[in-house]
Amino acid sequence: MTELKLPTYADVQEAATRLDGVANRTPVNTSRTLNDMLGAEIFFKCENFQRMGAFKFRGAYNALSKFSPEQRRAGVVAFSSGNHAQGIALSARLLGIPATIVMPHDAPAAKVAATKGYGANVVIYDRYTEDREAIGRRLADEHGFTLIPPYDHPDVLSGQGTAAKELFEEVGALDVVLTPLGGGGLLSGTALTARALSPQCKLYGVEPEAGNDGQQSFRSGAIVHIDTPKTIADGAQTPHLGQYTFSIIKRDVDDILTASDAQLVEAMKFYATRMKMIVEPTGCLGLAAAMQMKDALKGKRVGIIISGGNIDLERFCELVSA
C-alpha cells in the first residue's frame, strides 16, 4: 500500500489564505458560569456562526477552490448527513460548480432544504442499508464528477484546521482542546494546528458513546468499522475514521473521549439558557465531555470547538424540553 502523504500545518495556512474574506471569522465566546462551575477558563470557538451554520464550509470551500477548470465544468459529488452537504452546496454555488449531494433519508429536514436551497441536486439513500461511499463513487464514475468526501481528504481536513488557527490566534496557547469527532476531519485539522501553535496542549476528540469507533481505533492502533450508530448526534454517525484522519489522530491526539445522548442534551440546554445559542447535538460533544472532566480541567485554559448549529427547531425544542 502506498504511504499516505499527510497534509501539514503549511496546508492549513494556505487554506486560511483561500478562505480569507469568504469564510466567517467566527467569534470566541466565554461563560463565567461555566468557568466557575469547572474552575477553569473556557474558550468556545463558535462555528455554529459559520456560513451555512457549521465548520464544514471551511473544508468544502478549500477543496473546491483548488479544482481545475475541467473539474469545475464537470461538477462535484459528495455524501453527507447534512453539514458537509451544505458546505459543498454553498461553496459550489459561490464558485459556479454544479453539485450533486448524496444524503440519508432521515437527514434533518432543515439540512436537506438548505442543501437544495444552495442549488445542489440531492440524491436520497438509506443510511442503514446502503453504502453512501459506493453511491458517491458510482455517480462520480458515471458523470465525471469529482468526489469530495466529508472528512478523508487532505484539502478538506486542512480547511477544517483553520477554525483552530483562528482560536489560537485570538486567545493564545491553551492547556486543553476538545473537539467533536465523527469521521475525524475537524479533529485531524485541529491537530495539525494545535501541534504547530500550542504544542504542549492536550488534544481530545469527543464522539457519541453509541458510536465510539474512533476511541476503539485509537486504542487498538487500527481503523475499526462499526454499524451506523443510533445517536442524536447525526453529524457524528460515521461508521469509521478515514485513512488520512486516523493517521494524524493516532500521531497527534492524546485521547478519544465519549459523551452520552443525555449528556449532549444537558450541554444543549446549557448553551441555550446560559449562552443564548442554539447548538446541534454533535456540536455539544466538547462541552458534554468538559462537564465530566472537572478535576482534570481545574485551573486550565481550555478551548472547545462548537462544530455547528444546524438542527430543526422542532427537534431542538423536543430534545431540550424532555
Side-chain angles (χ1 to χ4, degrees):
M1 179 177 163
T2 309
E3 189 173 344
L4 293 177
K5 186 178 185 299
L6 299 177
T8 67
Y9 180 61
D11 295 296
V12 177
Q13 293 174 300
E14 289 174 13
T17 300
R18 291 185 197 99
L19 290 165
D20 186 34
V22 183
N24 294 337
R25 191 177 180 96
T26 52
V28 176
N29 290 353
T30 58
S31 164
R32 289 190 184 92
T33 301
L34 187 68
N35 288 351
D36 290 343
M37 278 171 54
L38 299 182
E41 201 174 359
I42 313 291
F43 301 95
F44 295 94
K45 179 60 171 168
C46 298
E47 287 293 289
N48 48 318
F49 296 124
Q50 187 50 262
R51 292 185 76 162
M52 48 69 47
F55 76 97
K56 292 283 192 178
F57 176 74
R58 296 175 182 272
Y61 189 89
N62 186 52
L64 267 59
S65 68
K66 294 180 70 176
F67 273 23
S68 69
E70 293 76 20
Q71 287 176 305
R72 290 186 182 217
R73 279 194 298 272
V76 62
V77 63
F79 46 82
S80 164
S81 65
N83 285 338
H84 180 62
Q86 292 171 83
I88 290 286
L90 175 56
S91 299
R93 191 182 77 179
L94 293 171
L95 293 165
I97 299 171
T100 297
I101 314 293
V102 180
M103 299 186 75
H105 68 93
D106 59 348
K111 294 183 178 182
V112 176
T115 302
K116 290 180 177 177
Y118 291 132
N121 173 42
V122 173
V123 175
I124 299 296
Y125 79 104
D126 185 328
R127 75 163 99 217
Y128 299 105
T129 61
E130 295 181 280
D131 182 345
R132 65 181 190 172
E133 297 178 30
I135 296 169
R137 286 193 299 270
R138 176 172 54 77
L139 289 169
D141 290 342
E142 288 176 359
H143 301 284
F145 300 147
T146 298
L147 175 64
I148 298 295
Y151 50 87
D152 201 31
H153 190 289
D155 296 334
V156 171
L157 72 89
S158 297
Q160 318 307 25
T162 60
K165 180 177 182 290
E166 293 173 8
L167 174 63
F168 287 116
E169 287 171 350
E170 188 157 336
V171 306
L174 294 166
D175 299 307
V176 176
V177 173
L178 293 158
T179 297
L181 172 59
L186 182 59
L187 180 57
S188 56
T190 298
L192 295 179
T193 299
R195 293 300 164 239
L197 300 184
S198 187
Q200 302 309 311
C201 86
K202 296 286 189 185
L203 179 58
Y204 300 101
V206 189
E207 61 187 349
E209 197 175 74
N212 72 331
D213 60 289
Q215 187 181 65
Q216 292 181 54
S217 302
F218 186 80
R219 295 182 182 173
S220 70
I223 296 175
V224 171
H225 291 245
I226 62 171
D227 292 334
T228 300
K230 290 182 168 59
T231 169
I232 62 171
D234 65 279
Q237 283 183 294
T238 45
H240 60 86
L241 299 175
Q243 297 287 341
Y244 286 97
T245 59
F246 179 62
S247 297
I248 295 169
I249 288 167
K250 71 178 179 181
R251 182 189 70 191
D252 291 341
V253 171
D254 289 281
D255 202 1
I256 307 297
L257 313 173
T258 63
S260 68
D261 279 3
Q263 289 165 346
L264 293 179
V265 170
E266 287 308 305
M268 288 175 72
K269 290 178 179 177
F270 184 90
Y271 281 130
T273 58
R274 294 294 186 167
M275 299 182 70
K276 315 310 173 195
M277 294 194 298
I278 290 181
V279 179
E280 64 184 276
T282 307
C284 294
L285 283 161
L287 175 58
M291 287 174 156
Q292 315 305 314
M293 298 173 70
K294 185 172 181 179
D295 292 341
L297 299 183
K298 193 172 179 63
K300 300 287 203 308
R301 287 168 50 84
V302 181
I304 293 178
I305 298 184
I306 299 174
S307 56
N310 294 323
I311 181 171
D312 297 339
L313 194 55
E314 296 81 0
R315 178 64 169 151
F316 177 83
C317 294
E318 176 191 325
L319 288 171
V320 298
S321 63

